[in-house]
Amino acid sequence: MSNEKLWGGRFEKSTDKTINDFQASINFDWRLYKYDIQGSIAHAKMLAKCEIISEDDAQKIIDGLNKILQKIENNEFDFKTEYEDIHLNIEKALTDLIGEAGGRLHTARSRNDQVALDMHLYVRDEISKICALLLNLMKEFILAAEKNLGVIMPGYTHLQRAQPILFSHHMLAYFWMLERDYARLINAYRSADFMPLGAGALAGTTFPIDRKFVQHELKFELLYRNSLDAVSDRDYILEFMSTASIMMIHLSRLSEELILWSSREFNFIELDDAHCTGSSMMPQKKNPDVPELVRGKTGRVIGHLMAMFTTMKALPLAYNKDLQEDKEGLFDAVETLKFCLIVFAQIIEGMKVKSENMRRAVEEDFSNATDLADYLVKKNLPFRQAHEISGKIVHHCIERGIYLKDLKLDEYKTFSDKFDEDIFDAIKPETCVNARDSYGGTSTEQVEMQIFYAKELMQRIFSSFESEE
Ligand code: ARG
C-alpha cells in the first residue's frame, strides 16, 4: 500500500489517523490562507519570469489560486485535516482544479520557506492593523487630557497620596507609554520585513530563481542573506510578542487604576453603563468587567510569549516541526491585543471623571506637605531642616484632626518664624500643581506643552502614512 499524501512517494504505509490528527495544523493555520495564496502567486510569477515554468502554466496557477481565494472567502472551501496544513490544502485544491500545472507550483520551494513567508506576511499585516488601533487609543488619551485640563487629583507613590497632580498629567503618562509601544511595533515590523522565499528546505535551490523579484512583488524591504537563517528565524515573532506583552502590561496597569478609581473607596471616575455589567445577585453592583478582563488577558499574552521563547530555546537549525507551535499563541495574542485596544478606546472615551471627589481627596489630606517644606527652603532654610519642621506640623495636624490649610498663622509661627501670610497660598492644590513647572512636570503649562507635543507627534505619524501612499 502506498501513501496518498502529496509527499507520499517514499512511503509504503499511509499515515495513521491519530498521528495525522496530531501533526496537522489546518485547524489553526487556515488563517494564513490569504498570505499563502499571495506568496504562491508571487512565486508562480517569478518561476515564469525565470523560465522555470511556462507563462501559460503560471497564468493557470494564478487564476486557479484566485478562484480558491474566492471560495475560501465565500466560506465554500472545505479544509481537510487529511491534507495537514494550509499549504497542502491549497496545493491539493489547485491541482484538482487545474491539473498538471498545479503540480509545478512547488518547484524551487519547500514548505519550510513557504510557511516562513506566510508568517512574515501575516505578522507585517497584523502589525499595521495594530498600529492603527494603537494610534486611535493614543488619541483618546490626548482627548481625555484636553477635556479635563484643570482637574486636580492626588498623585500616589506606594498607593499613598503623595503630591497633587493634574488628572491630564496622569492620562498623558499613558500616552507616552503607548507611544513607546508604537516605536516598538515599528521595530518589530522592520524585523518581519525580510523575505525568506527561495531558501528552499534549508540550503537554497538548484533552479535559477530570482528572489529579488519576489521581494519586490511582495514589497519586502530586505532579503534574508542566509537560507538557513531564513527558514529558522522566528525572532520577529518573539519581538512582536514581547511588544504585545509590554502593551498589555500598560493596559493592565491602567486597568488596575480604573478598577480602583471606580471603587466606592476612591470614587474618582465612573465607567459608562454601556461598558459595565451588573451582578445576578446584588442589585446595587456595577462591575468594571472590561478593565478586569484586560488585566486578566495580559497573563494570556505574556504566557504565549513564554511558550514561544521556550519553543525556540535550544532548537537546532534549520526547520523543525516544533516551529509549527509558533502559530496558535501568536494568533491568539494578535486577536486578544486587538480586541483589548478596541475596547479600551471606548472605555477611555466613555469614562466620567468625578473631579469634585478628586479635589476633595487632595484637600483632605497632606499631599501638599512637600510644598510646605519647599516654602521654608525658599525662605532659606536647608531642606532637611524644612522637612523636619513640616513633618512636625503634619503630626500636629493629624493629632488635632485638621489639615495644613486649617492651621492659623500664629500656630505656624510656633514651628518657625519664617512663616508668613503667603503660606496659605503656597499650599493650595493649584499652587502646588503649577509650581511643578520643571520640564515634564505637572504644571498646567508643562501639561499643555505635552499635549502640544503629543498632537504634533500624531500629526507627524499620520503625515508619514500619507507620504507613503
Ligand atoms: N505546517 C508546517 C508549519 O506550520 C509547515 C511547514 C512544514 N514543513 C515540513 N517540512 N514539515 O510549520
Side-chain angles (χ1 to χ4, degrees):
M1 200 175 125
S2 70
N3 189 309
E4 308 282 282
K5 297 271 191 196
L6 284 170
W7 42 257
R10 64 96 69 216
F11 287 79
E12 284 183 7
K13 280 189 187 172
S14 54
T15 318
D16 178 90
K17 165 90 174 69
T18 313
I19 299 299
N20 189 65
D21 291 351
F22 178 69
Q23 59 110 14
S25 51
I26 190 63
N27 283 343
F28 47 88
D29 69 10
W30 64 268
R31 283 168 186 274
L32 297 172
Y33 73 88
K34 209 169 51 179
Y35 310 105
D36 198 68
I37 290 176
Q38 201 186 351
S40 287
I41 290 179
H43 182 63
K45 284 186 186 165
M46 183 278 290
L47 291 176
K49 187 205 148 250
C50 297
E51 298 178 358
I52 299 168
I53 64 171
S54 69
E55 286 289 346
D56 192 40
D57 280 347
Q59 201 49 55
K60 280 193 196 133
I61 291 172
I62 294 166
D63 293 345
L65 288 171
N66 280 324
K67 277 194 195 120
I68 292 169
L69 179 65
Q70 274 306 314
K71 260 182 107 171
I72 299 177
E73 306 229 296
N74 294 340
N75 249 331
E76 291 159 3
F77 191 92
D78 194 10
F79 292 112
K80 290 208 175 92
T81 317
E82 219 183 310
Y83 304 129
E84 297 176 45
D85 57 23
I86 186 62
H87 325 294
L88 296 182
N89 265 271
I90 290 179
E91 195 183 323
K92 177 75 172 73
L94 183 70
T95 339
D96 288 350
L97 195 66
I98 65 168
E100 206 182 86
R104 297 189 192 279
L105 170 64
H106 211 52
T107 316
R109 187 174 74 170
S110 153
R111 266 189 298 160
N112 300 351
D113 57 347
Q114 183 179 1
V115 73
L117 176 64
D118 292 7
M119 292 296 275
H120 279 76
L121 289 168
Y122 169 82
V123 169
R124 260 190 356 180
D125 200 22
E126 290 297 341
I127 290 181
S128 301
K129 291 182 201 159
I130 291 168
C131 278
L133 296 174
L134 177 62
L135 288 169
N136 183 52
L137 178 59
M138 284 161 73
K139 184 198 77 196
E140 288 303 334
F141 283 107
I142 301 181
L143 288 175
E146 272 188 312
K147 200 165 69 185
N148 296 291
L149 200 67
V151 174
I152 297 177
M153 70 180 290
Y156 293 81
T157 63
H158 311 269
L159 212 54
Q160 306 284 323
R161 289 176 195 169
Q163 288 173 352
I165 56 169
L166 288 185
F167 175 76
S168 306
H169 197 48
H170 203 112
M171 290 294 101
L172 289 168
Y174 281 97
F175 173 87
W176 298 112
M177 288 152 83
L178 297 184
E179 190 260 325
R180 288 196 296 277
D181 291 333
Y182 183 79
R184 270 185 282 268
L185 278 177
I186 298 295
N187 279 334
Y189 186 100
R190 288 201 185 111
S191 298
D193 210 6
F194 280 76
M195 211 293 292
L197 206 71
L202 72 162
T205 170
T206 54
F207 294 94
I209 58 167
D210 182 351
R211 295 187 61 210
K212 287 207 164 125
F213 177 89
V214 180
Q215 177 196 350
H216 293 133
E217 195 69 16
L218 298 172
K219 299 192 168 61
F220 275 97
E221 182 69 26
L222 295 161
L223 273 181
Y224 277 96
R225 289 194 188 276
N226 180 308
S227 61
L228 285 172
D229 184 32
V231 286
S232 312
D233 178 27
R234 297 294 185 274
D235 293 357
Y236 61 101
I237 296 180
L238 290 172
E239 282 178 50
F240 165 73
M241 287 172 95
S242 307
T243 300
S245 300
I246 297 173
M247 286 171 79
M248 289 299 295
I249 286 172
H250 290 160
L251 298 185
S252 180
R253 291 180 78 173
L254 181 57
S255 292
E256 175 71 14
E257 297 194 314
L258 296 183
I259 294 162
L260 285 174
W261 292 350
S262 46
S263 70
R264 182 87 185 118
E265 284 68 18
F266 277 79
N267 205 9
F268 285 178
I269 59 161
E270 186 172 349
L271 299 179
D272 197 290
D273 268 5
H275 301 153
C276 293
T277 61
S279 154
S280 54
M281 188 191 210
M282 300 163 281
Q284 83 284 8
K285 291 292 288 278
K286 180 171 162 183
N287 297 328
D289 299 50
V290 174
E292 287 172 75
L293 261 179
V294 170
R295 188 176 59 182
K297 284 175 193 290
T298 303
R300 218 164 103 182
V301 174
I302 297 170
H304 292 320
L305 170 67
M306 289 309 130
M308 189 65 200
F309 273 132
T310 315
T311 300
M312 296 309 292
K313 179 186 165 295
L315 200 65
L317 305 188
Y319 182 83
N320 298 271
K321 189 83 167 191
D322 314 43
L323 288 174
Q324 184 166 285
E325 288 293 311
D326 64 357
K327 294 181 189 60
E328 284 163 289
L330 171 67
F331 295 161
D332 186 62
V334 163
E335 293 313 315
T336 305
L337 176 62
K338 287 198 294 191
F339 218 167
C340 290
L341 289 169
I342 293 169
V343 295
F344 232 95
Q346 289 194 30
I347 291 281
I348 300 301
E349 194 200 353
M351 162 182 81
K352 202 172 92 200
V353 176
K354 296 181 167 175
S355 53
E356 288 304 307
N357 294 349
M358 290 185 181
R359 172 87 200 189
R360 203 168 317 125
V362 169
E363 295 212 329
E364 295 174 2
D365 204 67
F366 293 93
S367 54
N368 49 0
T370 317
D371 299 81
L372 185 66
D374 286 357
Y375 172 91
L376 293 173
V377 171
K378 282 166 193 160
K379 304 246 163 157
N380 216 17
L381 228 59
F383 181 75
R384 275 293 147 241
Q385 220 175 310
H387 187 284
E388 171 77 17
I389 294 170
S390 304
K392 289 206 167 105
I393 298 174
V394 168
H395 185 256
H396 173 80
C397 288
I398 292 173
E399 296 232 298
R400 289 182 50 200
I402 58 170
Y403 299 104
L404 295 177
K405 65 177 165 41
D406 307 318
L407 210 61
K408 299 281 169 286
L409 183 58
D410 31 325
E411 290 172 288
Y412 269 115
K413 282 190 186 292
T414 63
F415 291 92
S416 164
D417 57 7
K418 305 268 180 197
F419 283 114
D420 262 316
E421 196 57 49
D422 57 351
I423 180 60
F424 296 103
D425 183 57
I427 56 169
K428 276 192 188 140
E430 281 75 13
T431 318
C432 301
V433 163
N434 287 322
R436 293 196 164 71
D437 199 29
S438 51
Y439 186 88
T442 193
S443 74
T444 311
E445 205 169 310
Q446 290 296 329
V447 168
E448 275 171 342
M449 211 144 83
Q450 277 185 66
I451 294 177
F452 172 80
Y453 288 135
K455 281 178 158 177
E456 193 186 57
L457 187 100
M458 294 288 278
Q459 200 54 51
R460 234 181 307 139
I461 293 172
F462 284 117
S463 57
S464 75
F465 290 152
E466 279 157 20
S467 65
E468 262 172 35
E469 279 161 13

